[in-house]
Amino acid sequence: MGLLTFVFAAAGAGGAVVAAPLVLGAVGFTATGIAASSLAASWMSAAAVANGGGVAAGSLFAILQSAGMAGLGATGTAAVGGLGGTLGALVTII
């Protein structure tokens, strides 16, 4: 692994960890709940209709809602950082 790969992996990991809360907020997963008229609100409505009136516990929507309200936590931060680092390293191959 060369220096360039390391730099891109570190930048990807750091960038992803910083961007994740901003992206969650931008699509409507906020600290106070789902923002009205947002992409998250539309998704929640569709999920509720599909599940007979509620959002399934443990679903991707439920996980993102939790991350939007409480933050990513250690596991979420590690997962997002790992994915960002992997994508950053892959950029050097392209």
Side-chain angles (χ1 to χ4, degrees), residues 7 13 26 34 45 57-58 62 72:
V7 168
I34 303 301
S45 175
L72 291 175

Side-chain angles (χ1 to χ4, degrees), residues 24 27 29-30 34 43 59-69:
L24 284 172
V27 298
F29 293 102
T30 69
I34 303 301
W43 186 13
S59 66
L60 178 60
F61 185 88
I63 292 168
L64 292 175
Q65 184 176 9
S66 176
M69 292 187 76

